[in-house]
Each structure stands twice: as C-alpha cells, then as structure tokens.
Amino acid sequence: MNRKLLVLAAAVSLLPPTLSACGKEESVSIVVATTDQFVATEDAPAPLDPAYTYDTSTWNLLRQTMQTLMIQPKGQGEPVPEAAEKCLFTDKGNERFDCKLREGLQFSDGTPITATDVKNSIERSLAINADTGVAALLNTIDTIETKGSREVIFHLKTADATFPYKLTTPVASIVNPKKYDKKNLRDGFEVDGSGPYTFKADVRDNAITDVTYAKNPRYRGSLKVNNDQVVLRVHKDSEAMGAAIDSGKVDVMVRTMSPSQIDALDTGTDKNAELVDLPGLEIRYLAFNTAAPTVKSKAVRQAIAQVIDRDELVAAVYSVQADALYSLVPAFVTGHTNSFFNKYGEPSDAKAKSLLTDAGVGLPLKLKLHYTTDHYGSATKQEFEVLRKQLNDSGLFQVTIQGHPWATFRPAEQKGEYDVFGMGWFPDFPDADNFVAPFLDKNNFLGLPYSNTTIQHTLIPRTRREADRASAMAPLAEIQDTVAEDVPILPLWQGKQYVAARRDVTGIAYAINSSSVLQLWELGRG
C-alpha cells in the first residue's frame, strides 16, 4: 500500500455501483476497524457516560452520537457551532459566553432539546465530578443561565479564551434527561444523544465487539453525513486488523497500527488500499507518583530525564513515525518550547550520577516501570524494553517493567499504585492549554500528587486571558520550564497519525483531525 496525503478515487471499473438499475440510490455502509478495547469493570462500570470517560478512544465512540454546542472543524481552525446556531463571547474580558440553539433540535427518540437540557447536562458533569478528572475541563464555569428555550449563557469564574474549545469535548455533551440520571452515572454500553448517528453496541464478556452507527434522521447540526451506516469493529491486535482489511472484511483501519505494519503498508503494492498519513498531536510520556518513596526525590526524576535518549528510543521503535519530544507542549502548537533539552541537553550518565550522589541516593536504585498492553498499540512493550535497557545500562538503576491491560491499568494509576508509568495523550483540543492544564491544574486527570501553586493560580489563568494565543507565550514557557525542573512528567515523543483504507472509500483525509477526533460522517464511497 502506498502512502499518500489524500485518498483519490479508484478507477470507475473497480467501484461498486452507487445506483441501482432503476436509479434509486443504494445504502452506503462502511466498516471501520480498531484495536481500541472498550470494557466495563467493577472499577469503571460506566465507561461510556460523558460525565465519566476521559480517553480518546471512548470519546470517539461518543462523538458520533452525542452532540455538543460547538465542534472542531474537519480541518484546522477554531471551533464552529454545532448544536448551537451561534456562540460568542459577549464581553471584552472573555468571561461571558452566549449560545443560541438551532431550531428543531431533538434527541434521537424525538424528545425536543431545550436550553434547560443543555444547562442540566453540563451541570450534571460538574456535579458528578468523576474521579477521571474530566469535569476539570469545565472548571472555569461559575453559573449557567438560560433565556427562553434556545439561549444558554455561561458566566465564567475567570477569563478563559479556550472555553469554546472545551464546549467541543464530550464532557459537555447534551444528554437526554430520560436516559441519564442527574446524580448518577449510566452503567453499561448504551448511548443516546442527538448527533449524526444512533448507537448500538454488541457486547461479549463485558466488552464491546462491534458498534453500529446508523444515520440519525432527526439530526440537526453543522455536519454533512456521507454514509448511511458505519460499523466500528474491535480487533484484538493490529495483525488481526490488517488481515481484515486485506481480505475486504473491513474498509478502513484506524488506531492502532504497529510501526512495522505501517512500514509494510507504506512500501507494499496492494492495489486495493492506501496508507494515509494525517497531521497529529499525540504525545507519549512517563508520569511519576511524586509521593512514592522511590521517586519522591526530585534528583531521581531529574536523573531519569538526564539518562533517557529519546532519539535512540524513537529510532529503535518508531522510525519516521515519531519525533523526540522535549516538552509537554508538542511542536507546531503555539507556545511550544524545548524546555527539557534546554535544561538537560544530550543524554549523560555522568551528569545523572552526579545528581543522584549529591542527593544521597543509594545506587543502583530499583524501579518498576508500568505500561498498558492494549491501549496504545503493540509497540508499547518494545518501547519500555528500550527504556529499561537505557536506564540499566547507565549502571544507576535496576529497572523492571510490567504490562497491564487498560481496564486494570487506568484505575490502578489513578489510585497511585504505580511509582512510574507510561501514558499517551491525545489532546482534547489543539491548544497549548490542553497540554498543561490537564496534568498540572487542580484535580489533574492522572491523579498525581504533584502540585505547583504558581502554575495553578497564576500562570494557567494568565494563559487563558489571552485570546491571541501567541500572547500567552511567556507564561506557557515558564510552565514548561518548571516541569523540566521538577519532572512530575517526562515527555518522550510526538507521534503521527495513520489511516489505511480501501480505494473506493472517500473522505479519508478528514477521517481523523489533528486532535485525533474520529469523524466517521466524512466517510463515503465513490
């Protein structure tokens, strides 16, 4: 399969007919493959409730069915109205945000949507305040006011120029009060909303195997839906997913292909499919439980930052599919600085040893690094094997690694059971605020004990006052420099996005946006 940036139409002779002999249009159905796993557990019985879930894969399930006031455009750019007819700040201080709903909005069961439903939905997420930390995205809201049946006014505690982006996220979804209790999460795998599709999940052993998205005839919004149905099919690994597209059982392959698989697709000669690379802002990092005895000392965390060779890691595992990252804020996002490189320079075992001996740390230091086996792709294990070797080869550490399925990994890290663990971040929206606030603000989504009052009370609010995001550069740089000094989180690399699709599928160039939002409505045939 040859890589390209846009999917071109295949020869007409290779395409299935879009019209029957009598001229009636045939239904367009697309099958999409993923290796993301969706599981309900005792610790997380409500994985699809928008007031609870806070990971990209599950958010992408919701975005097809749940509707928000605003939405990210299919390309780059600022949010645009979706359930809303218009939204804008109505003051000079970015503290009052006014939205007017579209006429005729309905949930998929025919229930009319009012401004009160929007107010109650967002207040529900805030009131439930799930331990995933997702409600923190809405923490600048003070009160929500309604006028009539169509106007919603958000009064903010402080200026927040990023607020329109936050209204695009699933935690701000408009939920049907008949289906979602105001005080309790909705357990299981049912989803009801007013978005472009209805939702039906096939479940086996408390895990989703397939999701069928059927075009919602009651949908009123900004999106053009280019198909009648999309089936999202869960595969156990990238190899099984690849076999399915080769055999024609699926039309599109998304998260997560292995690096070797991408290389093979890129250089292959399959005439039926294409590999498409898309802009992406995914980052990977190590997180530290700064209250744990092994990494409580800042010198230990700084020594790890001094030893790890990002370039070697990327070359060994991801090749050209990733780039070394020296800050929480990735390259190409306004506000990015190379704060870790500025502080630590090239990897140095000698400098790391000096840090540890000056702090009185006994050597070698025993550490265990934890990673998830089934959430970021099969290359994660190889990545942690490289990290273990780098740290052990320094002679300063005795590192072991342990993998866990996401269903147990995520609750365990939130409870502080891991001293050091690896995570990925796919931004909620493409702004530097979303690469710092979720990790460093109060009630951070990782549940880390690290807290810096200057960042929380001064620097983050300063960045949010600036509607011109370039004007927020100074406080953003100070935040990144502080992270490089204290190392509660150690950024490793920034990745690219890939989609593989059979040649008769159109819309692939917009199937995933830069924030890794899956946009199934863009897919069609012809």
Side-chain angles (χ1 to χ4, degrees):
M1 301 182 187
N2 297 318
R3 180 187 304 178
K4 61 180 182 179
L5 294 176
L6 299 175
V7 175
L8 303 177
V12 174
S13 62
L14 296 178
L15 295 179
T18 57
L19 300 176
S20 66
C22 62
K24 183 180 178 181
E25 290 190 10
E26 293 184 355
S27 175
V28 176
S29 180
I30 308 287
V31 181
V32 177
T34 181
T35 61
D36 288 332
Q37 306 294 310
F38 309 100
V39 181
T41 66
E42 184 177 346
D43 288 323
L48 301 188
D49 193 310
Y52 173 81
T53 186
Y54 197 9
D55 71 85
T56 295
S57 57
T58 311
W59 270 16
N60 277 334
L61 291 188
L62 298 182
R63 289 183 192 272
Q64 320 307 314
T65 298
M66 309 300 288
Q67 199 173 20
T68 49
L69 289 171
M70 306 283 284
I71 196 168
Q72 293 181 41
K74 65 181 182 180
Q76 302 290 333
E78 297 181 356
V80 297
E82 166 54 357
E85 180 180 279
K86 64 178 180 178
C87 285
L88 71 162
F89 283 106
T90 54
D91 68 332
K92 294 182 180 179
N94 294 333
E95 294 182 6
R96 176 185 163 123
F97 196 69
D98 196 330
C99 292
K100 185 175 182 180
L101 299 180
R102 294 178 186 271
E103 286 193 68
L105 285 178
Q106 300 178 62
F107 292 109
S108 59
D109 66 357
T111 304
I113 296 174
T114 67
T116 300
D117 293 320
V118 177
K119 177 179 185 290
N120 290 344
S121 296
I122 294 177
E123 288 180 342
R124 174 180 183 268
S125 290
L126 287 166
I128 289 175
N129 193 23
D131 59 10
T132 56
V134 68
L137 281 169
L138 305 174
N139 65 8
T140 56
I141 295 175
D142 186 13
T143 61
I144 306 175
E145 176 188 358
T146 62
K147 286 187 178 181
S149 62
R150 292 176 57 200
E151 189 174 1
V152 185
I153 303 167
F154 297 91
H155 300 278
L156 307 183
K157 299 173 186 176
T158 184
D160 187 0
T162 68
F163 188 68
Y165 284 102
K166 295 171 182 177
L167 290 182
T168 72
T169 62
V171 70
S173 295
I174 306 168
V175 300
N176 190 332
K178 295 180 180 178
K179 307 294 178 67
Y180 293 84
D181 185 85
K182 192 172 183 179
K183 296 182 179 179
N184 300 296
L185 294 172
R186 184 181 186 180
D187 292 353
F189 295 107
E190 293 183 296
V191 179
D192 292 276
S194 56
Y197 298 100
T198 59
F199 179 102
K200 182 180 182 299
D202 292 330
V203 178
R204 184 183 306 127
D205 298 329
N206 292 319
I208 290 177
T209 57
D210 296 274
V211 174
T212 300
Y213 291 106
K215 190 174 182 178
N216 177 11
R218 292 190 170 96
Y219 169 67
R220 299 291 182 273
S222 63
L223 304 173
K224 178 185 177 184
V225 183
N226 294 320
N227 53 67
D228 299 287
Q229 175 180 283
V230 176
V231 176
L232 184 69
R233 186 155 295 155
V234 175
H235 291 75
K236 65 178 182 178
D237 53 38
S238 58
E239 288 73 20
M241 188 168 64
I245 197 169
D246 286 340
S247 66
K249 293 180 180 178
V250 304
D251 302 296
V252 180
M253 185 163 61
V254 289
R255 292 182 24 148
T256 302
M257 290 177 271
S258 68
S260 59
Q261 187 177 43
I262 292 170
D263 284 340
L265 292 170
D266 188 25
T267 58
T269 57
D270 192 326
K271 295 181 179 180
N272 296 316
E274 295 286 352
L275 181 70
V276 184
D277 53 3
L278 302 169
L281 298 174
E282 169 192 5
I283 69 170
R284 297 288 177 87
Y285 57 92
L286 291 179
F288 297 91
N289 176 358
T290 54
T294 57
V295 293
K296 186 175 183 178
S297 169
K298 180 170 69 173
V300 171
R301 305 191 302 270
Q302 289 181 331
I304 294 172
Q306 188 66 74
V307 167
I308 287 177
D309 187 333
R310 294 168 176 80
D311 289 331
E312 180 184 75
L313 173 66
V314 168
V317 183
Y318 297 102
S319 185
V320 298
Q321 299 154 26
D323 295 300
L325 180 64
Y326 294 91
S327 174
L328 275 177
V329 179
F332 313 119
V333 173
T334 300
H336 163 79
T337 66
N338 286 317
S339 53
F340 273 81
F341 189 84
N342 295 340
K343 179 169 180 60
Y344 299 99
E346 297 293 339
S348 170
D349 295 345
K351 290 181 180 178
K353 184 176 181 179
S354 179
L355 287 166
L356 294 171
T357 54
D358 288 350
V361 177
L363 301 177
L365 178 64
K366 292 184 178 180
L367 286 176
K368 180 178 284 188
L369 274 54
H370 299 264
Y371 65 94
T372 178
T373 56
D374 59 356
H375 196 66
Y376 301 120
S378 58
T380 306
K381 180 181 179 181
Q382 185 184 356
E383 176 180 343
F384 273 74
E385 289 171 344
V386 173
L387 290 172
R388 176 181 60 189
K389 185 176 187 304
Q390 288 184 355
L391 291 169
N392 287 347
D393 285 352
S394 72
L396 306 174
F397 300 94
Q398 287 183 356
V399 171
T400 58
I401 60 174
Q402 185 174 359
H404 314 265
W406 180 253
T408 57
F409 174 88
R410 178 69 167 132
E413 66 85 2
Q414 286 179 302
K415 294 175 183 176
E417 295 179 11
Y418 305 148
D419 293 4
V420 188
F421 57 96
M423 287 281 283
W425 181 251
F426 300 82
D428 308 324
F429 50 88
D431 185 275
D433 177 83
N434 196 239
F435 291 93
V436 296
F439 304 99
L440 305 171
D441 211 348
K442 290 177 290 187
N443 302 317
N444 68 82
F445 95 105
L446 291 173
L448 298 178
Y450 176 80
S451 179
N452 184 296
T453 55
T454 300
I455 290 177
Q456 292 173 357
H457 300 311
T458 302
L459 297 177
I460 289 177
R462 275 182 60 195
T463 70
R464 290 173 174 169
R465 284 196 291 269
E466 302 294 345
D468 178 2
R469 303 309 287 153
S471 299
M473 285 287 294
L476 284 168
E478 188 172 345
I479 291 171
Q480 292 167 84
D481 289 345
T482 302
V483 172
E485 171 66 28
D486 294 346
V487 202
I489 294 167
L490 177 60
L492 297 172
W493 55 265
Q494 174 179 349
K496 301 175 183 178
Q497 297 189 114
Y498 296 89
V499 177
R502 298 186 70 80
R503 286 182 176 271
D504 65 330
V505 179
T506 61
I508 299 301
Y510 298 111
I512 300 176
N513 73 9
S514 64
S515 298
S516 300
V517 174
L518 188 61
Q519 302 174 139
L520 296 179
W521 51 85
E522 295 290 342
L523 301 177
R525 293 192 190 276

